[in-house]
Amino acid sequence: MTAPDGQPSAGYCANCGSPLPADALYCPRCGAKTPVGPPGREATDNFKLGLLLIKIGIIVSIVMSALFMAGISWFYFLPGLPGPAGGVVTVFSSFVILGFVFAVIAALFYRDIANGNDGRIIHTVILGVLMFFLASNIAGALVGIGAYLCHVNRRR
């Protein structure tokens, strides 16, 4: 069976209807377990919980980045009110942008983990730690803990 783009496909997700890669154990879109996959590579509910936590961490990081950028813009450009010092805004903006970049990288790693690439799990744990210290504590903790759950409960 092939997908519309000519790539081998395992069919379509029973949960969301999106095309599945041939070797996918989970749907890359919704995280549902696929009926097709290599034998003996069953994942636990904790693995699925880890994927969900990574996805929530990505969403939280993107939303927080957007809200902080809106707040920075409001304080910095609102006429008549004294805004924060330009250097402080620049440094804070850098951390907010870094949080958004980390979220995009985490989304790419999430896709790889959902498609069965267990090698990306450790990268995602490290990314979660970096997110925690350099961008967003909440999003970094969610991504790091989710990746750790995936690592401990990965398919063998």
Side-chain angles (χ1 to χ4, degrees):
M1 180 181 291
T2 60
D5 60 0
Q7 297 294 324
S9 173
Y12 295 91
C13 177
N15 190 38
C16 69
S18 66
L20 297 172
D23 60 348
L25 299 173
Y26 291 91
C27 174
R29 182 169 179 217
C30 69
K33 184 177 178 185
T34 61
V36 179
R41 291 191 45 123
E42 299 292 325
T44 64
D45 288 336
N46 286 336
F47 186 87
K48 289 190 275 188
L49 176 63
L51 285 175
L52 179 65
L53 287 176
I54 294 170
K55 188 184 289 188
I56 292 170
I58 292 166
I59 293 168
V60 165
S61 184
I62 290 172
V63 168
M64 288 178 68
S65 295
L67 290 175
F68 284 139
M69 283 308 288
I72 290 169
S73 299
W74 185 76
F75 278 112
Y76 193 67
F77 297 111
L78 191 62
L81 290 177
V88 173
V89 170
T90 304
V91 169
F92 189 68
S93 297
S94 299
F95 285 114
V96 172
I97 292 169
L98 190 60
F100 181 78
V101 170
F102 282 157
V104 170
I105 294 170
L108 295 172
F109 288 175
Y110 169 83
R111 183 194 63 199
D112 289 345
I113 294 169
N115 286 331
N117 183 356
D118 290 342
R120 282 287 189 217
I121 295 174
I122 295 299
H123 297 131
T124 311
V125 170
I126 294 168
L127 182 66
V129 171
L130 289 173
M131 285 175 77
F132 184 84
F133 288 109
L134 296 177
S136 167
N137 299 112
I138 297 168
L142 288 169
V143 169
I145 292 170
Y148 178 75
L149 281 174
C150 289
H151 175 68
V152 170
N153 299 291
R154 71 180 177 263
R155 302 168 292 260
R156 308 231 182 244

